Amino acid sequence: MTTDNDTEPAADATGVGLTRITFNANARAATALTTIMAASGDNKTDAINNSLRAMATLIGLAHDDGALRVIAQDGATHIVHLP
């Protein structure tokens, strides 16, 4: 992963600076990104930004072993293991 730290971050509509990040997505990550974009209607940038924010939230909710218990609409409990 590389970052472009040579330039001053540009301010977006909220006044928060932007950071350009370039990364190499493996096949599974690229497929996941395509799935997220199709489901949300977001562009790549928004899909990645929202995914990072969601993951940051989920990490805080996970157990020490990385397990996250999710209750589906039908009441079934699913265990998701975060990387």
Side-chain angles (χ1 to χ4, degrees), residues 45-70:
T45 298
D46 290 340
I48 291 168
N49 285 333
N50 291 335
S51 297
L52 290 172
R53 288 179 30 235
M55 185 63 176
T57 300
L58 294 175
I59 286 174
L61 298 173
H63 293 265
D64 290 340
D65 65 355
L68 182 68
R69 285 155 182 80
V70 179

Side-chain angles (χ1 to χ4, degrees), residues 6-82:
D6 295 335
T7 60
E8 190 68 26
D12 65 9
T14 63
V16 177
L18 302 175
T19 302
R20 177 176 296 277
I21 299 175
T22 303
F23 73 100
N24 297 315
N26 62 26
R28 289 175 58 192
T31 299
L33 179 58
T34 300
T35 301
I36 292 166
M37 290 170 47
S40 67
D42 287 339
N43 60 37
K44 285 181 183 178
T45 298
D46 290 340
I48 291 168
N49 285 333
N50 291 335
S51 297
L52 290 172
R53 288 179 30 235
M55 185 63 176
T57 300
L58 294 175
I59 286 174
L61 298 173
H63 293 265
D64 290 340
D65 65 355
L68 182 68
R69 285 155 182 80
V70 179
I71 301 174
Q73 289 181 345
D74 65 1
T77 299
H78 301 274
I79 299 175
V80 178
H81 296 276
L82 301 178

